[in-house]
């Protein structure tokens, strides 16, 4: 139980810092469930309580990033055919722009994705890409550490 609380606290701290620095409306950490072939949200930062989100690996930009390992930055998500608008409907949130990157193990295996939504005052940029990649690296290192215990 204590280990679970520690994991949640560390994820909250890492994601909270990233959310604040990126100046976005929402940030979410999704982990890959290989067995069920889906992503599930471990932590979301938005100022409101959100239910756990689950989506198939075959859906959405987060699913695309989890399958390919590509970093994706989109200024208008509704113009991108990969965007899975059901999550917006379910959460009553309007996604405009998005930045999403993979969380990798030390061996390069995709463990999850971090997603930033709606940059306050505009669109995401190159410095935001560097930030999300650094954040993903920290999450990956932490996951490797807790996986060894």
């Amino acid at each position: 139980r204590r280990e679970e609380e520690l994991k949640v606290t560390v994820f909250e701290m890492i994601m909270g810092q990233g959310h604040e620095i990126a100046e976005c409306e929402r940030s979410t950490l999704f982990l890959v469930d290989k067995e069920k072939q889906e992503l599930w949200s471990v932590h979301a930062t938005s100022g409101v309580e959100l239910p756990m989100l689950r989506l198939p690996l075959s859906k959405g930009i987060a699913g695309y990033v989890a399958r390919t390992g590509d970093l994706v930055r989109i200024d208008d998500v509704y113009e991108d055919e990969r965007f899975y608008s059901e999550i917006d409907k379910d959460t009553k949130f309007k996604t405009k722009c998005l930045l999403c990157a993979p969380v990798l193990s030390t061996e390069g295996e995709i463990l999850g994705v971090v997603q930033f939504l709606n940059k306050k005052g505009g669109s995401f940029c190159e410095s935001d890409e560097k930030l999300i990649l650094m954040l993903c690296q920290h999450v990956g290192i932490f996951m490797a550490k807790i996986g060894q215990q």
Side-chain angles (χ1 to χ4, degrees), residues 4-68:
E4 274 306 308
E5 288 173 7
L6 178 63
K7 284 183 208 175
V8 170
T9 302
V10 172
F11 284 143
E12 284 175 357
M13 188 176 66
I14 294 170
M15 292 299 294
Q17 288 293 312
H19 177 88
E20 196 173 300
I21 295 166
E23 299 178 322
C24 59
E25 290 181 20
R26 282 198 178 161
S27 60
T28 308
L29 169 61
F30 290 98
L31 295 183
V32 174
D33 183 334
K34 286 184 193 168
E35 194 175 295
K36 293 183 179 176
Q37 287 293 294
E38 64 182 12
L39 291 170
W40 55 280
S41 62
V42 176
H43 182 73
T45 305
S46 65
V48 296
E49 190 68 30
L50 293 173
M52 181 191 296
L53 302 173
R54 289 190 172 272
L55 67 146
L57 280 176
S58 60
K59 300 274 187 187
I61 294 161
Y64 173 83
V65 170
R67 291 190 316 275
T68 65

Side-chain angles (χ1 to χ4, degrees), residues 54-56 58-63 77-78 80-90 95 98 115:
R54 289 190 172 272
L55 67 146
S58 60
K59 300 274 187 187
I61 294 161
V77 295
Y78 281 88
D80 192 299
E81 62 191 25
R82 297 170 295 184
F83 182 65
Y84 185 55
S85 62
E86 290 301 309
I87 300 294
D88 271 10
K89 289 176 190 159
D90 291 347
T95 304
L98 168 153
Q115 184 170 265

Side-chain angles (χ1 to χ4, degrees), residues 94-113:
K94 173 76 170 166
T95 304
K96 298 170 196 128
C97 61
L98 168 153
L99 181 60
C100 191
V103 173
L104 303 173
S105 71
T106 50
E107 293 81 30
E109 176 187 2
I110 299 169
L111 304 173
V113 300

